[in-house]
Amino acid sequence: ANLTAMHAARHRWKVVNGYTKQQQQQKQHNEYRQWLDNINETSEEVEEEKKLDDMTLNKHINAILSPPSQKKQQQQHLYITNNSADEPQYDLVAFVSSEAHYSFAKSARVLGLREDDLIVIPTNADGSMNVEALAKSFDELECELEQIVREEDGAVVRSNSDVKRRRRRVPFFVACTAGSTVRGSFDDIAKIVEVCRGYESRQPSFKQHYERSIWVHVDGAWGGSAIFSSRNEIRSITHMDEIRHADSFTFNPHKMLGAPQQTTAFIVRHRNGLREANAAGAKYLFDPRKNGAEYDLGDLSYTCGRRTDAVKLWAMWKYYGRSGLGSRVDQKVDELECFVKEVRKRRNTFALACRPWPFNVNFFYFPPRIREVLEQRGILRPVVEDDTSGGDDENSF
């Protein structure tokens, strides 16, 4: 699901900036017509040129859009290009937190992103993404791009190789985590979306050759099932009501809800977004004339034939209802709250490793001999027997 989100984000960026075939054809058509008009204004000798029929014009466009050589195809993973010598090339950059799932690193490799184009944003003390650090990273990329543009506008370019080495890096994807694997932390989705939309609408102080487009994805594989909870305090701390601001969202009912393995839900805001990004349109298989063609999802993802995962979620939802699924989530929260209380009662042998989140509790167990050594070295403070307050989140440190 995370790979699908990143792939859809890249496709949308390409569409917005005219890198798809349809957009290229329209752009080349307009440029060619403009070229004819400009020539006609300065010379009468090209009068016949302007009378080119549509067939000749299409041949001209197809020649420009001819498939690249095999060598060029092998290099396309390095950067996004619209095959125009006058247009700059851009390297797309994705952002994840240091608590994000490792699948984002794998997804970046599959999509051909450079290693340093997957930027890891540090987290706050509670494990949530540091939104200020994210905004700062956007600013750093913009300053980097502005410096390149100003240098090229004001200096003599030595060679074409010098131009190719100048990497214009632009954001296109930000991943929010809704329930990290270890801590169970939740990112502040609303603030992250606000930073991304603010960056998109901000006017740069330099000449910009691209349209800003950032896809915000919420990876709720573990904690996303909290969306079924009806408790305001749970929905607030997990930021479930803020998912509506994101571009896509995924969660795994086989984890928290106990659905059969494997069950994954992927929800996307943009209608036909997955079809436009993935569809190959094989006529022998995806014929729009067949009965029920609109329900055939085989061309919406990388895989074609697959298990009916949706039926598992549908059956659970149908049987338990939303309130029943929500009760399962709430029960887990209540059980972990009781567990935290028991850990704090046994401060002589247990200690919380970090702030507990609704669905994850990290703790240490210290055998008496080990605890005595740690207290002697000042790593743990001695426990006062009559102290029953329970302490703070890190009560034994």
Side-chain angles (χ1 to χ4, degrees):
N2 292 335
L3 171 61
T4 299
M6 194 176 288
H7 169 62
R10 183 179 65 170
H11 178 79
R12 191 180 72 161
W13 193 96
K14 291 166 64 178
V15 169
V16 169
N17 286 279
Y19 287 85
T20 61
K21 186 175 181 180
Q22 182 179 4
Q23 295 284 342
Q24 285 184 42
Q25 288 177 340
Q26 183 62 44
K27 182 178 180 181
Q28 296 290 351
H29 182 280
N30 295 337
E31 289 179 352
Y32 189 64
R33 282 299 186 190
Q34 184 65 39
W35 175 74
L36 291 178
D37 292 340
N38 292 340
I39 292 181
N40 185 58
E41 292 176 0
T42 57
S43 174
E44 298 179 357
E45 298 178 358
V46 295
E47 191 64 30
E48 294 297 324
E49 187 76 22
K50 191 176 180 181
K51 296 178 181 179
L52 288 172
D53 54 47
D54 291 338
M55 183 179 297
T56 306
L57 181 60
N58 290 333
K59 287 182 179 179
H60 175 80
I61 295 174
N62 291 333
I64 296 176
L65 300 176
S66 59
S69 63
Q70 183 177 0
K71 180 179 180 181
K72 193 169 184 179
Q73 287 178 340
Q74 293 174 350
Q75 295 176 344
Q76 281 186 343
H77 71 285
L78 297 178
Y79 49 74
I80 300 296
T81 175
N82 59 4
N83 297 326
S84 175
D86 297 331
E87 296 289 343
Q89 300 164 356
Y90 296 98
D91 287 349
L92 301 185
V93 179
F95 298 82
V96 299
S97 79
S98 57
E99 292 277 335
H101 196 262
Y102 66 85
S103 59
F104 286 109
K106 288 188 174 183
S107 300
R109 295 170 193 163
V110 171
L111 294 179
L113 270 66
R114 297 173 185 257
E115 237 179 86
D116 57 346
D117 285 343
L118 180 66
I119 296 180
V120 178
I121 303 299
T123 60
N124 300 311
D126 61 0
S128 61
M129 180 187 285
N130 187 324
V131 182
E132 293 181 359
L134 175 66
K136 183 179 178 182
S137 293
F138 286 172
D139 293 338
E140 290 174 350
L141 283 187
E142 185 168 357
C143 290
E144 180 183 303
L145 183 57
E146 179 180 5
Q147 182 179 0
I148 293 174
V149 172
R150 295 192 183 280
E151 285 180 358
E152 292 182 353
D153 288 344
V156 177
V157 179
R158 297 180 180 179
S159 64
N160 291 334
S161 60
D162 290 339
V163 177
K164 291 180 180 179
R165 281 196 294 267
R166 296 175 181 270
R167 297 185 58 214
R168 297 172 175 83
R169 304 200 301 162
V170 296
F172 84 105
F173 179 85
V174 174
C176 305
T177 299
S180 61
T181 304
V182 179
R183 292 197 194 190
S185 55
F186 287 77
D187 292 338
D188 193 325
I189 301 171
K191 288 185 178 179
I192 292 174
V193 171
E194 181 181 359
V195 168
C196 294
R197 301 300 172 247
Y199 174 83
E200 288 178 337
S201 60
R202 190 168 62 197
Q203 293 296 325
S205 58
F206 58 94
K207 185 178 181 181
Q208 180 177 288
H209 296 277
Y210 70 98
E211 293 293 330
R212 301 185 179 193
S213 175
I214 300 179
W215 184 291
V216 179
H217 172 63
V218 179
D219 174 20
W222 166 233
S225 295
I227 198 169
F228 289 101
S229 176
S230 59
R231 295 185 185 176
N232 292 331
E233 65 273 15
I234 296 178
R235 299 186 67 85
S236 175
I237 196 172
T238 59
H239 302 281
M240 286 295 104
D241 292 329
E242 301 168 12
I243 289 176
R244 65 181 183 272
H245 302 304
D247 294 286
S248 58
F249 165 63
T250 186
F251 71 101
N252 295 150
H254 68 258
K255 293 180 178 177
M256 190 178 300
L257 297 180
Q261 170 80 301
Q262 174 175 345
T263 310
T264 299
F266 184 85
I267 300 96
V268 61
R269 168 185 296 277
H270 309 282
R271 187 177 183 86
N272 296 325
L274 294 181
R275 188 179 302 279
E276 293 171 357
N278 294 300
K283 295 182 179 179
Y284 62 87
L285 187 59
F286 305 110
D287 191 332
R289 298 171 298 178
K290 67 183 181 182
N291 293 332
E294 65 272 23
Y295 302 111
D296 190 345
L297 307 180
D299 214 14
L300 269 64
S301 64
Y302 283 105
T303 57
C304 178
R306 57 181 182 269
R307 300 173 185 173
T308 53
D309 289 346
V311 173
K312 305 171 189 176
L313 176 58
W314 177 87
M316 286 185 62
W317 205 332
K318 188 72 173 177
Y319 183 81
Y320 293 104
R322 177 172 178 175
S323 60
L325 295 178
S327 297
R328 285 193 167 197
V329 174
D330 298 339
Q331 180 183 358
K332 290 175 173 56
V333 175
D334 294 340
E335 290 172 350
L336 285 180
E337 284 183 352
C338 291
F339 180 76
V340 170
K341 292 178 181 178
E342 293 301 317
V343 168
R344 285 174 169 163
K345 288 179 182 178
R346 295 164 173 78
R347 298 180 63 200
N348 58 331
T349 52
F350 291 91
L352 294 175
C354 59
R355 166 191 167 181
W357 284 87
F359 309 114
N360 293 56
V361 177
N362 293 264
F363 64 94
F364 293 111
Y365 167 69
F366 300 110
R369 181 178 61 85
I370 300 299
R371 183 174 187 92
E372 182 179 353
V373 173
L374 294 177
E375 288 179 356
Q376 291 175 353
R377 297 182 179 181
I379 299 175
L380 295 180
R381 64 173 182 261
V383 176
V384 180
E385 295 298 334
D386 59 352
D387 182 5
T388 59
S389 63
D392 202 344
D393 291 339
E394 292 79 25
N395 57 330
S396 295
F397 289 85

